[in-house]
Amino acid sequence: MARHGGRGWYGQVVAAALGVTAVTVAASLWTAQAGPVSGPAKAGTSVHHPAPKAAPAAVSVEIAHASDRGAGGVNITIDDGPDPVWTPKVLQVLKEYGVKATFCMIGPQAKAHPDLVRAVVAAGHRLCDHTVSHDVTMDTKSEAYQSRQILDAESMITEASGGVRPLYYRAPGGAFTPYSRKVAASHGMRPLGWNVDSKDFERPGTAAIVATVKEELPNGPTVLFHDAGGDRSETVDALREVLPWLKEQGYSFGFPVR
């Protein structure tokens, strides 16, 4: 899986994301250890602590590429959002053609735009964890760093969605490690790869994006697009051409296998 080059706009959120990480970790530790407190307990009474929510069931650590629709299925995946300009436009195109997709979200972006996260969920799409800071060199970093990037983003996305957890984890640039796959899978997030890189991030023109999808589709069913990180007008236009073409070829739209 090809890695994408430098994406400068993510650097602007890293510092803020790290600050959120520290607060989130501290708050999680306090909640786990102390539980909710509504005032001092009276003598002879006990304090009721609600049972914690069940942890998500573990899934396979293998990187998913296949579609749950089988050989005739295609998985549309949308990375790097949500974005207040482009995510609504992508959602509109998907709605027009009756297509469900998987949105791989950056944690701080989800935190900043919970309305968009909830709109994605309400439309029947699935969520995917795409880390806190989109570090394409994650596979060279410590296990502690990898864990923070994955689990802090998971918390941000889940909170922004109103409690709907991401079902997948996509490593930025495909920078998976055995450890990161294990961490994600243990939290119910299937590692998610791709077969077709539309190259829309490079903004090569709508025609080039469409041609790339058509040429690479024999590689497999999971197609990668973006809804953030810059002007995504070419992506929106390409989707308007690609989605009906896929239907004409007899494909159905599904989700990556779990």
Side-chain angles (χ1 to χ4, degrees):
M1 289 179 281
R3 298 196 182 205
H4 299 298
R7 300 182 182 175
W9 79 285
Y10 290 106
Q12 299 173 13
V13 301
V14 172
L18 293 176
V20 170
T21 298
V23 173
T24 302
V25 171
S28 299
L29 290 173
W30 169 256
T31 301
Q33 295 173 10
V37 177
S38 58
K42 295 180 180 180
T45 63
S46 60
V47 177
H48 173 67
H49 296 288
K53 292 182 179 179
V59 294
S60 172
V61 300
E62 298 302 317
I63 298 173
H65 294 90
S67 174
D68 63 4
R69 291 297 185 94
V74 171
N75 307 320
I76 301 298
T77 65
I78 314 289
D79 281 19
D80 297 356
D83 179 272
V85 174
W86 300 109
T87 301
K89 295 180 185 297
V90 169
L91 285 172
Q92 180 59 38
V93 176
L94 294 172
K95 180 180 179 180
E96 288 174 11
Y97 293 100
V99 174
K100 305 304 181 188
T102 300
F103 283 76
C104 300
M105 297 184 174
I106 304 296
Q109 290 295 107
K111 183 179 178 66
H113 305 289
D115 55 328
L116 295 178
V117 181
R118 297 186 187 203
V120 166
V121 171
H125 306 294
R126 288 186 178 178
L127 301 177
C128 171
D129 179 334
H130 204 33
T131 74
V132 171
S133 54
H134 201 280
D135 183 352
V136 297
T137 66
M138 270 186 62
D139 54 346
T140 68
K141 304 295 177 62
S142 70
E143 291 183 349
Y145 176 85
Q146 294 176 54
S147 181
R148 289 195 303 272
Q149 285 283 316
I150 296 168
L151 299 185
D152 288 355
E154 179 197 18
S155 295
M156 293 178 195
I157 294 166
T158 301
E159 181 177 357
S161 72
V164 178
R165 295 177 179 272
L167 297 181
Y168 308 93
Y169 162 64
R170 174 172 276 168
F176 290 101
T177 66
Y179 177 78
S180 68
R181 290 190 287 115
K182 181 179 178 180
V183 168
S186 70
H187 282 250
M189 297 182 290
R190 179 77 183 263
L192 176 59
W194 64 84
N195 308 104
V196 180
D197 184 352
S198 70
K199 302 293 195 303
D200 64 332
F201 196 87
E202 299 173 3
R203 287 187 283 180
T206 298
I209 295 170
V210 172
T212 296
V213 172
K214 291 180 178 181
E215 290 168 5
E216 293 191 7
L217 195 59
N219 295 339
T222 302
V223 187
L224 170 62
F225 294 98
H226 297 84
D227 64 343
D231 184 338
R232 300 272 71 87
S233 57
E234 292 178 1
T235 300
V236 174
D237 291 341
L239 284 169
R240 289 192 186 280
E241 294 188 35
V242 166
L243 298 182
W245 178 82
L246 287 168
K247 287 188 174 184
E248 290 169 1
Q249 306 309 303
Y251 289 101
S252 60
F253 296 93
F255 294 111
V257 294
R258 290 264 298 149

